[in-house]
Amino acid sequence: MSLPLSRPWSLLCPSPLPAGPMQLLWFLGLLWMLKASPGATGTCDNGGTWEQGQCVCRQGFSGDRCQHQRKCQNGGTWDGLKCQCPSTFYGSDCEFAVEQVDVDSVEADVAMEVSVDQEFSSDLNDNTSQAYRDFNNTFWNQMQKIYADVQGFTFKGVEILSLRNGSIVVDYLVLLEMPFSPQLQSQYEKAKTALKDGLQNASQNADSCKDSQTLCFKPDSIKVNNYSRTELTPEAICRRAAPKGYEEFYFPLVEAARLRCVTKCTSGVDGAIDCHQGQCILETRGPACRCFSTDTHWFSGPRCEVAVHWKALVGGLAAGAALLLLLLLALGFRAVRSRGGGGQSRGRSWDQDGKWFEIWDEEVVGTFSNLGFEEDDRIEKDKNFNVDLENVDTTMKVHIKRPEMTLSSV
């Protein structure tokens, strides 16, 4: 709606303006008209555009102003078009755990100890001090040079556990990545030997200690400890490789050059779940079947083994509803009838049942006759009953009004 430039409020604001509720209604109506005006525009967030009085949001956003961003689950990230999921999850929102994880390489660590021919300072007790950080960087770089070309594993770095006095005694972990094989444990033992031999060779090189940026290691101080924080059994490897929160549902399947961490949803595995007309998905409580439906059939059951035709389903539901309706009608009719009959029987009194028409029977002295009354749903007629005259108080005076005669002309 466009407004004239001269006296723009004369059309919209009458004078005097109605007070009270009418004023509020007028104001709300004005706001609605301005919003509906083709020239009015709204504000849209996150790249949304205003079209025909509302925000049209980019994919991944929602809300009247596109203020809500689509959230990816299980560590997924939104790239502007879709959720980028970790390798162990899939789905539009990364909501499903994968049914199988393939392991080609394994992370491992080796605990070692070595003494550096250098004076120990108290600053090295504080891992936030500049002296500690400088020593850590020098130690890391030198270890990388020593182990860069060693065969059988890939050097990933070192982690200093502690620095102790005695020159400088370093307790540390060597971080490795090893290819998986059924003989992984024996390969790990070989890697420990290679690490010790490589450090021994470097410590015996006298020229390496001439550089002030190079640490000199004492050859007789090199030790390989049995401590390791990474267990290398197939079961432990699968627990580490499995999606977080689903570890208990994965078990190892060892092959020649890889380890498969599989579940009951993995096809071809002994004991795998057959979902028939459905898909096996891994939930936090375990594997479960999600059944499909087609244009003609609906599938249900724990394993989606039951197929129901849509027409038969609709017909069965309609027949069941009709039968239930008839049953309710029958029960209602029976209840109404029972309430009507029982109410008369239970609430019966002498005045109700005893609508007596007492007639003197001249042939039977001291009796009265009843033309009819109800008893146990039966109508009894011509029943006589005796009056108990022994209990009549003969001394009681009865006052009877004298009858009067009135003459009338016919």
Side-chain angles (χ1 to χ4, degrees):
M1 182 179 70
S2 59
L3 300 177
L5 294 178
S6 62
R7 300 183 64 191
W9 298 103
S10 61
L11 298 178
L12 297 176
C13 185
S15 178
L17 188 66
M22 293 300 297
Q23 182 179 1
L24 177 61
L25 291 176
W26 174 86
F27 182 71
L28 292 176
L30 176 60
L31 291 179
W32 180 84
M33 287 188 296
L34 291 176
K35 181 177 180 181
S37 174
T41 58
T43 302
C44 305
D45 300 334
N46 298 306
T49 57
W50 182 264
E51 297 179 10
Q52 298 181 352
Q54 62 182 358
C55 284
V56 178
C57 303
R58 293 169 49 205
Q59 186 176 3
F61 296 92
S62 61
D64 56 353
R65 301 191 315 275
C66 306
Q67 70 273 26
H68 301 303
Q69 184 175 3
R70 185 174 179 176
K71 294 183 179 180
C72 305
Q73 303 178 27
N74 298 305
T77 56
W78 182 257
D79 65 357
L81 297 176
K82 61 183 181 300
C83 285
Q84 294 288 348
C85 303
S87 60
T88 51
F89 290 94
Y90 70 99
S92 59
D93 296 326
C94 307
E95 68 270 32
F96 300 120
V98 296
E99 63 185 31
Q100 171 180 312
V101 178
D102 294 334
V103 179
D104 299 319
S105 60
V106 179
E107 293 182 352
D109 58 74
V110 178
M112 298 187 67
E113 176 185 327
V114 67
S115 294
V116 177
D117 191 7
Q118 185 175 321
E119 184 179 355
F120 185 84
S121 66
S122 59
D123 291 343
L124 296 178
N125 290 321
D126 182 8
N127 58 10
T128 63
S129 65
Q130 187 62 43
Y132 185 97
R133 290 196 296 267
D134 292 342
F135 181 88
N136 181 76
N137 292 335
T138 304
F139 187 82
W140 200 98
N141 292 331
Q142 193 161 340
M143 288 295 176
Q144 186 178 29
K145 295 176 181 178
I146 294 172
Y147 297 128
D149 298 328
V150 178
Q151 301 297 318
F153 60 85
T154 301
F155 175 78
K156 305 296 292 185
V158 293
E159 179 181 340
I160 296 179
L161 301 178
S162 68
L163 299 177
R164 294 180 283 122
N165 194 2
S167 295
I168 300 178
V169 180
V170 185
D171 297 305
Y172 64 101
L173 292 176
V174 182
L175 308 180
L176 309 175
E177 185 177 272
M178 304 173 59
F180 177 83
S181 75
Q183 296 79 32
L184 180 61
Q185 192 62 44
S186 63
Q187 290 181 343
Y188 177 72
E189 296 298 327
K190 293 179 180 179
K192 290 165 65 176
T193 302
L195 290 172
K196 184 176 181 179
D197 293 343
L199 190 55
Q200 288 276 10
N201 295 333
S203 64
Q204 294 174 356
N205 186 359
D207 295 335
S208 62
C209 296
K210 294 180 180 180
D211 187 357
S212 60
Q213 299 298 320
T214 302
L215 301 177
C216 295
F217 304 112
K218 297 180 178 181
D220 56 350
S221 68
I222 300 173
K223 298 179 182 178
V224 177
N225 300 322
N226 292 326
Y227 164 77
S228 176
R229 65 184 181 188
T230 305
E231 188 179 353
L232 295 180
T233 62
E235 292 79 8
I237 295 173
C238 281
R239 284 196 300 270
R240 294 195 299 270
K244 186 177 181 180
Y246 299 83
E247 295 88 350
E248 61 180 304
F249 307 117
Y250 288 80
F251 54 93
L253 189 62
V254 179
E255 296 182 349
R258 66 171 180 170
L259 172 66
R260 295 174 61 198
C261 300
V262 298
T263 66
K264 293 295 184 180
C265 287
T266 307
S267 60
V269 175
D270 293 340
I273 297 176
D274 183 6
C275 287
H276 298 89
Q277 299 297 325
Q279 179 186 3
C280 182
I281 60 174
L282 198 60
E283 300 178 346
T284 53
R285 62 177 180 269
C289 288
R290 174 169 294 186
C291 302
F292 299 142
S293 60
T294 65
D295 294 338
T296 58
H297 288 82
W298 173 63
F299 299 95
S300 64
R303 296 293 180 264
C304 306
E305 70 277 12
V306 180
V308 181
H309 199 282
W310 281 112
K311 293 183 178 179
L313 177 63
V314 174
L317 292 176
L323 181 61
L324 180 61
L325 180 60
L326 291 176
L327 180 61
L328 292 176
L329 290 175
L331 291 176
F333 179 76
R334 180 182 179 88
V336 171
R337 183 177 180 183
S338 174
R339 186 180 297 110
Q344 292 181 356
S345 177
R346 290 189 300 269
R348 186 169 60 195
S349 65
W350 175 266
D351 292 334
Q352 291 174 336
D353 285 347
K355 298 295 183 180
W356 299 99
F357 296 91
E358 298 175 354
I359 301 176
W360 179 264
D361 190 347
E362 296 178 352
E363 298 179 357
V364 181
V365 180
T367 63
F368 291 87
S369 177
N370 177 26
L371 294 180
F373 65 97
E374 292 183 2
E375 181 178 353
D376 297 332
D377 296 333
R378 303 189 307 274
I379 298 177
E380 303 290 348
K381 291 186 177 182
D382 300 329
K383 286 288 184 179
N384 296 330
F385 65 95
N386 295 321
V387 179
D388 189 1
L389 297 177
E390 295 179 358
N391 295 325
V392 176
D393 187 2
T394 57
T395 62
M396 180 179 294
K397 294 181 180 182
V398 178
H399 299 279
I400 301 176
K401 185 178 181 181
R402 183 183 299 274
E404 297 177 0
M405 181 181 295
T406 303
L407 297 178
S408 61
S409 60
V410 177

